[in-house]
Amino acid sequence: MNIKRIAILGSTGSIGRQTLDVIKDSVALEVCALAAGSNSELLAEQTRQFTPEAVALTDIDEAHNLRKVLDEDTPVFSGPDAMTQLVETVRPDILLSGVVGAAGLAPTLAAIKSRATLAIANKETLVMAGAIIMPAVQQAKLNLLPVDSEHSAIFQCLASGKRSDVRRVTITASGGALRDMDDRTAAEATIDQALAHPTWQMGRKITIDSATMMNKALEVIEAHWLFDLSADEIEVVRHDESIVHSYVEYCDGSVIAQLGKPDMTTPIAYALHYPDRAVRQTAPLDLAELRSLNFAPLAPRFRRAVDLGFEVIARGGLAGAVLNGANESAVEAFLDGNIRFGQIVELVETVLKYTPAVDEITLEALVEADRWARGQVTEQIV
Ligand code: NDP
Ligand code: MG
């Protein structure tokens, strides 16, 4: 058996830790590289346990601390280009990108250059730069496997028919922590309230995105790029239990859905073992015990956020980079206590309106649009 060498970006985060759990239980996978932002303590522990060929930490001071506690023969890359240097040096078979935000873009492009299979949880990178990532992946004839649960579901549903026979793809949405609050109360929600997700345990940024429903706007754009879907072919529906992860309707009226407990190790294991399926110890999904699954149209406040995703598809150009940069900046401002919860979507909506035009979509133009959008949010706050 060929053991696949996996590099994990964001190994200290929610996706990263669950990826290590999957690898620990699989004889087909091994860790070749680990990277994180600043958590040197946990990265040191993971390095001792999984013995990667090299590691990376973006924070320079913390990387210094890491070097002090690790064996001298484990290279430690540091600084803003650390993840890219790590990927270029280690050349993994699979890059599992579980970093949060646009920081994942450069190392993803490096992995494409080194011809790695991509397993992407880091949706912000696709939202920002799908226009350059997808052609590069296709040109290099690489596999890009979604880790986001909805997109893993769509990927699996699309395997049961021809792309040209797809009528519609429906992405399900739990509604996040504030789903049962009225609009006025939700607009004033505290950080703790917005972080209390009903069905998934995730990092802080995506948990806030779930509460605003910007997560679904990002996922609509992610689906557009991954599966070459137009805005008309994508729908979003509320589904409270997070059991049906998404579904695809074909031209003959057949609807194929993918189901599973809300557990990210399932889509992670699927992406890492693809095209095989790993034999895993999982508790059975007992629908008879659950008795019912609930679905509903999106409430107007959620529709408003999700519609920004459809608007980005319609606008094209730099809109994805602007939406993502503005959203990252607004979420950070909320988590720092500088804006109210209700301002997050308002700010993104306003900045998106002024998206600069561009003749050609280049990496430089996308990076500049991201920087511009963050600056616009900061300007509007002060
Ligand atoms: P976490 O906040 O839990 O983890 C983020 C990871 O990225 C940490 O390892 C962190 O390192 C690292 N990181 C953050 N910023 C940088 C940086 N500038 N340079 C290098 N490393 C950095 O996030 P999640 O695991 O929840 O989410 C990761 C991605 O996966 C996001 O894009 C999210 O949308 C997506 N996703 C997550 C799901 C989930 O269930 N968690 C589900 C579907 C998608 P450190 O710990 O040192 O700060
Ligand atoms: Mg998702």
Side-chain angles (χ1 to χ4, degrees), residues 56-80:
L57 211 50
T58 312
D59 186 300
I60 292 173
D61 294 335
E62 288 297 331
H64 187 66
N65 293 335
L66 183 65
R67 282 190 195 98
K68 283 198 261 181
V69 299
L70 289 184
D71 284 349
E72 275 172 20
D73 50 2
T74 308
V76 178
F77 295 96
S78 63

Side-chain angles (χ1 to χ4, degrees), residues 10 12-15 36-39 58 98-99 121 123-124 148 202-203 264:
T12 54
S14 159
I15 290 289
S38 60
N39 190 344
T58 312
V99 289
K123 64 190 85 180
E124 294 91 347
D148 212 349
M202 311 182 286
M264 285 306 294

Side-chain angles (χ1 to χ4, degrees), residues 38-51:
S38 60
N39 190 344
S40 59
E41 223 169 285
L42 182 54
L43 187 56
E45 206 179 302
Q46 293 175 340
T47 304
R48 284 189 210 101
Q49 189 180 354
F50 291 92
T51 60

